[in-house]
Amino acid sequence: ICFWINKNKPQNKTFIIGLAGGQGTGKTTISSLIRLILTNYFKLNVFKVSIDDFYRTRKERLRLSKSKHTLLLTRGVPGTHDHKMIYSSLKNLKSKNFKSLRIPQFDKSRDNRKNKKNWIKIKKKPNIIIFEGWCLGAKPQTLHELKKPVNLLEKKRDTNKSWRIKVNEELKSNYKKIFKLIDNLIYLKVPSYNHVLKWRLLQEKKLRYSNKSKNVMNNKQIKKFIMHFERVTKSMMKNIKKNDIIINLDNQHKIKSIIN
């Protein structure tokens, strides 16, 4: 993959690589490895950024939950990120007239954005941006597809479909603009949706033992939490043929094959 990126990157332009995949698939690990190789072996200036750092503040999401739908308080789905900030940041990184910028940092233990003094400053135009995000490249669904709830969360808390319609509208408009700025996409494909829950549970278990986060969810909370992402995740699993690189993962969470 790194040889392919080095070969296909444009001259004098920032090459944006998107890395997508469901919760717990290993996006952070793989993006860190790619960055390490591109930096040390290919001597490229690489910056890694996560869509998670662009979450709206808790105050903003609280406002959204009151004006649009209560489920928008929970971060993660399209509509809960500051799409204007993502777009302007990526646009600036690709621009010939690059200006130094600050990338926000999000503290998940506090469910809020970190103070601006802790934001990361990009002073020099990077050769490569690795943009990591679970929903990158996701396509909107038809109104017919939105009708039937995919889980209990949608059935009980989104009875009039307004939440899933709002998320879908975001994919149609604001997020589509962002995705167009991505030059190539890498997608981590799980063997089945059941593995998303299994690996997300494992991810939280590691946090529990590492003591890195005080706000660790129990199994019941995780099952409820990933229901927010189920619809878009399943839709992406069905529509991944047009992605540039697909990394197929096996049942043991190892790389089975890479399709380019």
Side-chain angles (χ1 to χ4, degrees), residues 130-148:
I130 302 170
F131 183 34
E132 174 201 321
W134 74 277
C135 62
L136 300 185
K139 303 284 191 297
Q141 292 185 304
T142 63
L143 286 174
H144 177 72
E145 287 173 310
L146 293 175
K147 279 184 180 179
K148 190 179 178 181

Side-chain angles (χ1 to χ4, degrees), residues 13-31:
K13 284 184 181 179
T14 296
F15 196 42
I16 298 180
I17 299 290
L19 183 64
Q23 286 70 40
T25 48
K27 295 183 295 297
T28 303
T29 302
I30 287 185
S31 61

Side-chain angles (χ1 to χ4, degrees), residues 48-64:
K48 187 165 80 80
V49 61
S50 171
I51 199 171
D52 291 2
D53 283 318
F54 289 93
Y55 283 135
R56 293 181 185 273
T57 63
R58 185 165 179 84
K59 190 178 178 180
E60 288 170 335
R61 283 180 284 120
L62 190 61
R63 202 179 300 132
L64 261 180

